[in-house]
């Protein structure tokens, strides 16, 4: 079977002394400081990689990367100059997979759920093809020269010769020996280096060299695979064009070319066949194995039969990775054109606004930039992109919606706002899984099943709470360990500090033990209940945390290949070049690839790949494609990471308020958002609580690819009312890839406010790939010395990703009087540093590096003015941007605001969610009521229906199942006429079965006449209620088409009465401050629960919301808990009344977040219900209701369709009619009216049987209500004239007897 050839991308960077000149900067070496892994308070660091400093990047004589600062005079390090070559691993080497789906035997030491990364190729053949005509001096180097790189060689510093450059010839690395009991395991890490380069020919495998199994994650350094300065002679190399000099000028007798042009060919393979991914999973055909590796076969439709046979083969084969880059130019005295300089020039003072935007997401940031620069996009992306940018903006909301109507766009804006939050698992819920009839109510479990289901969900809820708290407490254990090992303790204070930490760790360890016991108990209870009832599992609503803002830079190519996120197309080696003469000449008889059966013909494959590389070298202007690409006569700029720094000002929560605010950048839709209600520039107190924040984030290729994919999808679907012409659509498709962006979230911002740090750091446990965590003896021994149980390390498990601040910063109470910890963000921030650094250490620095003044008298500034998105731009206050210090000119109409400060509106800095549920309460035997509880999915959540009877100018009330209850009409002696219950129908047989809710009666009583007959307040209330409903119905969406078939459709649209609970729940206990120095909150949990966040329930400007109005109801067992005195609505009545209150920021209900401790909460289900803010609500049954919050995503709640359909099936449409003159009298008694042949002729359209006449008959007893006889109505078309007397006037009710259909009505 053929071997497989996998293309990869190469980059080449020409570095010379002239590289330090220009707009961009050259970064010095900043290696990972693995000394900081030692458990020594003087050495340990939160991140072993410091930020890159550019203060000594120019001139070349002060840059330690290129100059030997220890020499006098300063000498340049020519061995570091030349061509820096880097090869980018294919994507499957960067992706992980679970090692297995099953569970490993207990005690085996294996964790089969632990992600497994594919081992990367550990042997690389690098060949340089030198253009001899360009070499200066000439004739000192051969046309072809090759090297072998052993990526997996591990050496201690004592094993490395003195002439090896420890920064540019080897890579500092972490190498775990596999012995967790080694007390020197951490101390030795600073002395271990990876990678070695050998000249070829002359190289051969040597088993005496120490090798390690290498993956991209071995080093725990996310920059390792792509940052050439962190992987020298592992995944990159420096070709300095050294040659032996016959005229010795130095101790090494080496000189270097000053000018050269060369091409490079790289071939990689696995020295051990067992590590080759194509020797695994042989039970699968080749096509499936390749698919699992994010690869694909070449097009078999144009291939011969052998390629098709290979696709289905299950044989073992081998793979090579290869890449070539052509015509790379180097000059010691000249700097080539560089994309880094071009990028840096876009940030100069000549630019109107930096090509920098900050949004809540990458897409938000990109669209923000396009909107801010819609008049000058060509200057960033090239010719003819301005019109395309404007086309993109015209369909911006279509990127989130599939319709172009106003309401769809408003809904899209809401969806955009929800993208600002990251999701976290919300737990599990269980529901009854019995069989239901189509269209009917869900099946109802038996009493035994219902009890088991409640027990099951209670156990699951408590289990979810327990698991989340376990993660929290495990991290707190790690935090105390970290603070102990990183704290400098004076000799005289050791005992006291050890005792201090022992008292902190002991209770945490005890809590973990208790939570583990509770976890096991709840798992057992859950499993026992599942065996009793037929149930199905579903996910609860997720928790959310607002994401850190995302920074986007326009006009920069990410440098990743265009097809990086695509499946790479492989080649079969037999399809490559057969002309192997040149390859044979290069490799000679020393072919370095494995021979024999394990080699599987790799030697021949390598020759074919090398021959293909040589063949393509004759092609000029080689396109940039994965596998083969041209250098392009310029240095690349491949942004890899961004290092940022900012100042955050914490603005007191009392200075914020919530309103339905317009967009500060001019977007048409309004949203519920926080704003600052004071002039900050005059409020010096808001400047006192200021903190410096910083972070490092990787630049990934996804943002632009995602933008392209979303745009193309929208254009392919061609939504209704698409505003773009076919030519504009074609232009967008052809130009979208010119919209170059890099993008990265400002990770670390929120964690800094929580006094936590991100970064690579020492951990007390170690995990080999596919294995369980094992505590390091070096870490546990330190705890023994502190009289702390070393078993605490095992209890931490994997909750060690973030480090606590500890003694990181000195928050002295005089210099920093506030509390550094911020459980809730609310402030403003501006950038003081943004450095965009590429894989070769080139950088764009904002602002240009310069020494900082020790005491700067003026307001802080960096002159960085990003385009701020709608959600981050400061509000306008008194005609100017409301910022801590005055910033930027006053905004001009039509111009994007120019501002340094971004607004960080209040948000909870941990996972939380808005809960919404329909609530019920059960009647008790003593006449009282139970506590409120959530309605299950098989319970009717509606306690009543209201329909406007326009024919009678009244309100009709129905029970939850659709049975008629009472009617209220305008008119009568007191202005309001309330019918007796059930009239004109009989009471339900056997009584109403508990359907009549006291709330429904209390609501009806609001319309009843007062004791004083002259009191017309009830008349005004009824009229106002009418006005409210009429106003709401006008704004509601049309009901679905099936509604027209229900009988009540002829009278009016029914509205549902429900009780809805709202709350804000935290997923874990409040996060605690972790700073050793400075002030601390007295009680983080109480502080967080003291915040009161407003909820805007419903929205009349959003047609997709069904709220008509609501009352506030106490969460208590009172018989009448609802405050009926105030009805909150968006649809204010025409006649002013104190009972109707507009829903506005002043009347928004406020909710405090809460968390339930599973160890202290006997019943989580009832405790959750007890936290609800309850609204008794009138709503559109077909439309979801929403709670809008500026701190969390919008929460929607929809009535189950069965609850509406079953009620409508039973609901009867009727209205009063009369007096009507009949030629024939109705039966004289109720009994006579029951005869089958009794009919009434009325001038009513509709065939016989469509209508019924309900005729009242008096009953014995003065107070006895009448009873009604039902008679079939025949249509009187006026054909009977002058019938003989007597005539009879009748009054009664006309009832629609059945559903309406077209055949029922004669047109």
């Amino acid at each position: 079977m053929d071997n497989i050839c996998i293309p990869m991308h190469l980059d080449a960077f020409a570095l010379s002394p002239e590289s330090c000149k220009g707009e961009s900067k050259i970064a010095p070496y900043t290696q990972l400081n693995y000394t900081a892994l030692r458990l020594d308070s003087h050495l340990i660091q939160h991140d072993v990689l410091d930020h890159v400093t550019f203060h000594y990047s120019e001139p070349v004589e002060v840059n330690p990367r290129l100059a030997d600062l220890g020499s006098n005079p300063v000498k340049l390090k020519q061995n570091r100059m030349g061509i820096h070559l880097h090869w980018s691993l294919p994507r499957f080497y960067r992706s992980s997979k679970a090692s297995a789906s099953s569970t490993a035997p207990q005690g085996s030491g294996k964790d089969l759920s632990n992600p497994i990364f594919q081992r990367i190729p550990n042997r690389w053949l690098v060949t340089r093809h030198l253009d001899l005509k360009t070499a200066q001096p000439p004739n000192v180097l051969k046309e072809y020269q090759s090297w072998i790189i052993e990526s997996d060689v591990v050496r201690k510093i004592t094993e490395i010769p003195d002439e090896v450059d420890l920064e540019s010839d080897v890579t500092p690395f972490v190498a775990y020996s596999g012995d967790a009991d080694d007390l020197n395991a951490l101390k030795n890490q600073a002395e271990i280096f990876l990678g070695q380069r050998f000249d070829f020919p002359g190289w051969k495998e040597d088993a005496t060299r120490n090798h390690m199994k290498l993956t991209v994650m071995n080093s725990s350094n996310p920059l390792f695979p792509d940052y050439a300065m962190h992987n020298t002679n592992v995944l990159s190399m420096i070709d300095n064009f050294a040659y032996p000099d016959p005229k010795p000028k130095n101790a090494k007798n080496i000189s270097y070319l000053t000018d050269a042009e060369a091409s490079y060919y790289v071939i990689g393979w696995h020295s051990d066949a067992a590590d080759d991914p194509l020797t695994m999973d042989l039970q699968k055909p080749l096509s499936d194995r390749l698919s699992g590796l994010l690869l694909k076969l070449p097009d078999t439709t144009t291939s011969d039969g052998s390629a098709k046979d290979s696709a289905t083969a299950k044989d073992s084969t081998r793979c090579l990775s290869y890449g070539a880059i052509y015509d790379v130019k180097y000059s010691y005295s000249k700097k080539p054109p560089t994309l880094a300089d071009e990028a840096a020039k876009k940030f100069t003072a000549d630019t109107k606004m930096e090509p920098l935007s900050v949004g809540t997401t990458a897409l938000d940031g990109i669209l923000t930039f396009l909107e801010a620069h819609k008049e000058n996009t060509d200057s960033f992306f090239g010719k003819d992109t301005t019109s395309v940018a404007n086309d993109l903006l015209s369909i911006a909301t279509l990127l989130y919606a599939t319709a172009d109507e106003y309401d769809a766009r408003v809904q899209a804006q809401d969806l955009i706002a929800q993208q600002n939050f990251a999701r976290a698992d919300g737990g599990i819920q269980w529901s009854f899984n019995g069989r239901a009839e189509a269209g009917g109510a869900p099946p109802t479990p038996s009493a035994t099943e219902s009890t088991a289901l409640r027990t099951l969900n209670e156990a699951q809820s408590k289990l979810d709470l327990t698991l989340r708290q376990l993660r929290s407490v495990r991290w707190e254990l790690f935090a105390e360990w970290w603070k102990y090992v990183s704290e400098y303790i004076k000799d005289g204070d050791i005992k006291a500090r050890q005792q201090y930490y022992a008292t902190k760790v002991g209770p945490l360890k005890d809590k973990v033990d208790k939570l583990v016991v509770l976890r096991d108990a709840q798992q057992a209870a859950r499993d026992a209940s599942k065996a009793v009832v037929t149930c199905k599992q579903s996910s609860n609503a997720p928790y959310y945390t607002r994401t850190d803002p995302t920074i986007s830079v326009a006009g920069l190519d990410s440098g990743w290949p265009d097809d990086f996120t695509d499946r790479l197309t492989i080649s079969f080696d037999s399809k490559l070049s057969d002309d192997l003469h040149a390859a044979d000449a290069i490799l000679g008889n020393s072919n370095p690839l494995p021979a024999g059966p394990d080699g599987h013909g790799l030697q021949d494959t390598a020759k074919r790949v090398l021959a293909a590389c040589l063949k393509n070298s004759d092609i000029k202007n080689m396109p940039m494609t994965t596998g083969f690409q041209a250098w392009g006569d310029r240095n690349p700029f491949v942004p890899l990471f961004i290092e940022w720094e900012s100042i955050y000002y914490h603005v007191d929560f009392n200075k914020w308020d919530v309103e339905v605010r317009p967009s500060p950048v001019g977007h048409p839709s309004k949203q519920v958002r926080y704003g600052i209600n004071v002039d900050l520039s005059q409020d010096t107190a808001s400047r006192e609580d200021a903190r410096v924040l910083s972070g490092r984030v990787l630049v990934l290729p996804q943002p632009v690819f995602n933008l392209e994919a979303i745009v193309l999808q929208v254009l392919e679907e061609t939504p209704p009312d698409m505003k773009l012409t076919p030519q504009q659509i074609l232009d967008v498709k052809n130009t979208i890839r010119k919209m170059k962006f890099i993008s990265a979230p400002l990770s670390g911002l929120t964690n800094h406010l929580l006094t936590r740090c991100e970064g690579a750091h020492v951990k007390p446990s170690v995990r080999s790939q596919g294995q369980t965590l094992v505590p390091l003896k070096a870490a546990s021994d330190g705890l023994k010395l502190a009289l702390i149980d070393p078993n605490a390390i095992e209890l931490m498990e994997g909750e060690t990703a973030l480090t606590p601040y500890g003694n990181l910063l000195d928050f002295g109470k005089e210099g920093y009087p506030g509390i550094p910890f911020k459980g809730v963000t609310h402030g403003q921030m501006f950038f003081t540093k943004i450095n965009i650094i590429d894989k070769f250490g080139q950088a764009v620095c904002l602002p240009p590096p310069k020494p900082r003044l020790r005491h700067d008298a003026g307001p802080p500034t960096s002159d960085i003015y990003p385009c701020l998105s709608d959600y981050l731009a400061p509000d306008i206050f008194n005609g100017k941007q409301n910022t801590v210090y005055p910033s930027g000119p006053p905004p001009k109409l039509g111009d994007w605001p120019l501002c340094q400060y971004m607004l960080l509106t209040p948000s909870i800095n941990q996972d939380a969610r808005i809960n919404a549920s329909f609530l019920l309460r059960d009647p008790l035997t003593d006449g009282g009521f139970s506590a409120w509880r959530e309605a299950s999915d098989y319970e009717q959540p509606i306690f009543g229906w209201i329909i406007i009877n326009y024919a009678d100018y009244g309100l009709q009330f129905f029970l939850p199942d659709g049975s008629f209850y009472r009617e209220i009409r305008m008119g009568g002696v007191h202005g309001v006429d309330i019918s007796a219950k059930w009239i004109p129908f009989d009471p339900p047989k056997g009584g109403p079965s508990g359907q009549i809710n006291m709330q429904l009666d209390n609501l009806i009583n609001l319309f009843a006449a007062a004791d004083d007959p002259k009191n017309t307040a009830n008349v005004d209330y009824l009229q106002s209620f009418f006005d409210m409903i009429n106003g709401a119905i006008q704004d509601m969406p049309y009901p679905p088409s099936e509604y027209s078939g229900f009988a009540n459709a002829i009278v009016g649209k029914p509205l549902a009465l429900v009780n809805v609970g709202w709350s804000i729940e935290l997923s874990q206990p409040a996060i605690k401050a972790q700073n050793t120095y400075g002030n601390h909150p007295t009680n983080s949990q109480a502080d967080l629960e003291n915040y009161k966040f407003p909820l805007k329930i419903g929205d009349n400007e959003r047609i997709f919301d069904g709220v008509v109005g609501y009352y506030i109801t106490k969460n208590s067992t009172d018989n009448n808990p609802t405050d009926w005195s105030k009805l909150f609505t968006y649809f204010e009545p025409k006649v002013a009344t104190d009972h109707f209150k507009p829903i506005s920021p002043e009347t928004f209900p406020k909710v405090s977040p809460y968390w339930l401790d599973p160890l202290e909460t006997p019943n989580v289900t009832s405790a959750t219900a007890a936290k609800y803010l309850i609204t008794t609500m009138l709503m559109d049954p077909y439309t979801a209701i929403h709670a809008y919050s500026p701190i969390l995503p919008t929460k929607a709640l929809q009535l189950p369709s069965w609850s509406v359909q079953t009620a409508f099936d039973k609901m009867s449409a009727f209205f009063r009619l009369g007096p009507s003159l009949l030629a024939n009298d109705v039966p004289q008694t109720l009994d006579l009216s029951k005869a089958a042949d009794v009919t009434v002729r009325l001038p009513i359209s509709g065939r016989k049987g469509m209508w019924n006449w309900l005729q009242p008959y008096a009953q014995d007893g003065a107070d006895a209500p009448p009873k009604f006889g039902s008679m079939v109505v025949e249509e009187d078309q006026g054909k009977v004239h002058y019938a003989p007397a007597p005539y009879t006037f009748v009054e009664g009710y006309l009832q629609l007897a059945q559903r309406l259909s077209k055949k029922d009505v004669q047109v």
Side-chain angles (χ1 to χ4, degrees), residues 857-1071:
T861 182
S862 61
D863 290 328
I864 300 176
Y865 289 88
C867 312
L868 299 177
S869 85
D870 188 8
Y871 306 98
L872 299 173
D875 288 323
I876 307 301
F877 191 90
N878 294 335
K880 62 181 182 180
Q881 292 168 342
N882 197 9
T883 55
V884 175
Y885 289 94
S887 175
K892 296 180 180 179
L893 186 64
D895 287 349
W896 200 267
L898 195 65
C899 186
Q900 292 187 78
Y901 291 84
M902 68 181 74
L903 187 71
L904 300 178
T905 56
S907 69
I908 301 173
N909 288 335
Q910 64 182 85
D911 291 333
R913 67 184 175 195
I914 297 176
N915 290 326
S917 180
F918 295 110
L919 301 181
L920 302 174
R921 58 181 188 160
D922 303 312
L924 303 177
T925 55
D926 62 0
F929 290 90
S930 69
W932 292 96
R933 61 177 179 83
E934 296 180 357
S936 63
D937 54 0
Y938 54 84
E939 291 181 299
Q940 172 63 274
I942 300 166
F943 72 82
W945 295 92
I946 296 180
I947 299 179
I948 287 190
N949 184 347
Y950 289 101
D952 293 335
Y953 206 50
L955 297 178
Q956 294 179 343
F957 294 85
F958 292 80
L959 298 182
D961 69 346
S963 300
F964 175 73
Y965 183 47
R966 299 184 78 172
E967 182 178 31
I968 300 175
R969 296 189 303 159
M970 296 288 288
V973 177
H974 302 297
V976 174
D977 181 29
I978 299 183
S979 72
K981 295 179 181 179
W982 319 115
I983 298 297
F985 304 102
D986 292 334
K989 293 182 179 180
S993 302
Q995 287 194 75
I996 302 174
N997 189 292
M998 184 175 290
Q999 285 182 293
L1000 184 59
D1001 276 335
N1002 289 336
L1003 175 61
I1004 294 173
N1005 290 338
L1006 294 178
F1007 307 103
D1011 293 337
D1012 183 359
K1014 297 181 180 179
N1015 187 351
T1016 60
N1018 56 314
V1019 179
D1020 295 337
Y1021 197 91
L1022 180 58
Q1023 182 62 59
S1024 299
F1025 211 84
F1026 263 91
D1027 294 342
M1028 176 189 70
I1029 293 177
N1030 283 328
I1033 289 176
Q1034 292 176 14
D1035 281 356
M1036 286 179 185
Y1038 295 114
S1041 57
E1042 61 266 22
Y1043 170 70
S1044 62
F1046 289 111
N1048 52 297
I1050 198 171
V1051 180
K1053 185 176 184 179
L1055 299 175
L1057 289 165
V1058 292
N1059 291 295
V1060 182
W1062 312 92
S1063 65
I1064 297 177
E1065 180 189 2
L1066 304 174
S1067 70
Q1068 294 180 348
I1071 294 174

Side-chain angles (χ1 to χ4, degrees), residues 44-123:
I44 193 170
Q45 292 180 193
H46 295 74
D47 190 353
V48 296
L49 179 60
D50 295 326
H51 276 214
V52 180
T53 176
F54 291 93
H55 293 294
Y56 301 102
S57 59
E58 59 177 335
V60 65
E61 291 79 11
V62 302
N63 190 324
R65 179 175 177 180
L66 299 174
D68 182 359
L69 303 182
S71 61
N72 189 12
V74 173
K75 297 180 180 178
L76 299 184
K77 299 177 179 178
Q78 286 190 275
N79 65 301
R80 297 184 177 185
M81 300 179 198
I83 301 302
H84 291 236
L85 184 69
H86 175 266
W87 45 97
S88 183
L89 290 169
R91 192 154 59 106
F92 70 88
Y93 285 117
R94 305 163 181 267
S95 303
S96 66
K97 61 179 180 179
S99 55
S101 58
S102 59
T103 303
Q106 190 171 2
S108 66
K110 295 184 178 181
D111 182 0
L112 299 185
S113 64
N114 182 34
I116 296 293
F117 285 84
Q118 178 66 47
R119 292 190 178 111
I120 67 174
N122 59 345
R123 299 291 181 268

Side-chain angles (χ1 to χ4, degrees), residues 432-725:
F432 187 58
N433 197 25
R435 300 185 63 178
E437 296 181 5
T444 303
S446 66
T448 301
E449 291 172 323
S450 181
T451 301
L453 194 59
R454 285 195 296 268
T455 303
L456 171 58
N457 277 309
E458 170 63 21
Q460 184 67 60
S461 297
K462 187 166 285 189
L463 175 60
D464 292 337
L465 273 175
T466 302
L467 293 175
R468 289 193 292 267
Q469 191 182 6
L470 258 177
R471 291 194 294 270
S472 175
V473 180
R474 291 186 196 280
W475 184 86
E476 288 185 43
L477 266 176
F478 166 71
E480 296 305 322
W481 174 84
W482 177 273
K483 287 186 283 188
Y484 170 69
V485 298
S486 63
E487 181 180 346
Y488 170 69
I489 304 175
K490 297 179 181 179
D491 291 343
D493 297 336
I494 291 178
K495 188 173 182 179
R497 296 305 292 168
Q498 288 180 343
Q499 183 62 38
Y500 167 79
Y501 282 106
T503 58
K504 298 279 284 186
V505 169
L508 290 173
K509 180 180 176 298
D510 292 343
K511 181 169 284 190
V512 170
D513 292 339
K514 292 179 181 178
L515 288 169
V516 168
V517 171
L518 180 61
R519 176 197 65 190
D520 295 343
Q522 297 307 312
Q523 286 176 338
R526 177 197 61 185
D527 295 342
S529 297
K530 283 170 60 178
V532 177
V533 60
T534 303
C535 56
K536 58 184 177 181
Q537 175 183 317
S538 59
S539 297
N540 273 326
Y543 293 95
Y544 295 91
T545 305
R546 191 172 67 186
T547 55
D548 292 327
T550 295
I551 185 171
S552 298
V553 185
L556 294 188
D557 192 336
S558 71
W560 297 88
D562 287 347
D563 57 359
F564 180 79
T565 57
D566 300 336
R567 293 186 179 273
L568 288 178
T569 302
I570 58 94
S571 300
F572 293 110
D573 62 352
S574 63
K575 305 303 178 185
L576 299 178
S577 176
D578 290 326
D579 184 2
L580 306 181
H581 293 88
D584 282 332
I586 296 172
L587 297 177
N589 297 323
S590 304
N591 194 314
L593 279 83
D598 284 347
H600 200 272
L602 280 179
Q603 290 190 343
D604 183 66
T605 303
K607 287 193 289 186
R608 290 175 177 272
V609 170
L610 187 57
C613 293
L614 292 167
K615 180 180 179 181
N616 284 328
S617 64
D618 297 331
I619 302 175
K620 299 300 181 184
N621 300 318
M622 175 64 63
M624 185 175 176
T625 59
T626 300
F628 306 103
Q629 71 256 16
W631 187 61
D633 291 325
R634 82 284 181 272
N635 266 336
F637 184 57
V638 189
L640 181 62
F641 61 99
I642 297 174
E643 293 181 339
W644 60 274
E645 188 178 278
S646 67
I647 297 179
Y648 169 80
Y649 295 92
H650 197 63
V651 179
D652 190 90
F653 190 66
N654 294 327
K655 297 173 183 176
W656 299 78
D657 59 19
V658 170
E659 290 185 6
V660 183
R661 283 183 161 87
S663 162
V665 296
H667 289 165
S669 61
K670 298 179 180 180
Q671 287 185 328
V672 182
R673 64 175 75 210
Y674 271 106
I676 299 173
N677 54 26
V678 298
D679 188 345
L680 283 184
S681 63
Q682 303 300 316
D683 181 38
T684 58
S686 296
R687 304 171 187 170
E688 295 177 358
D689 194 350
R691 289 199 44 201
V692 176
L693 313 178
S694 62
R696 179 189 302 110
V697 288
L698 295 180
V699 174
L700 300 177
Q702 280 80 5
V704 174
F705 296 150
N706 286 349
L707 174 66
E708 179 184 10
I710 294 171
V711 169
L712 293 181
Q713 179 182 352
V714 169
L715 296 180
E716 290 296 332
E717 292 176 354
T718 315
D721 300 327
M722 169 67 77
K723 304 300 182 185
L724 301 184
T725 65

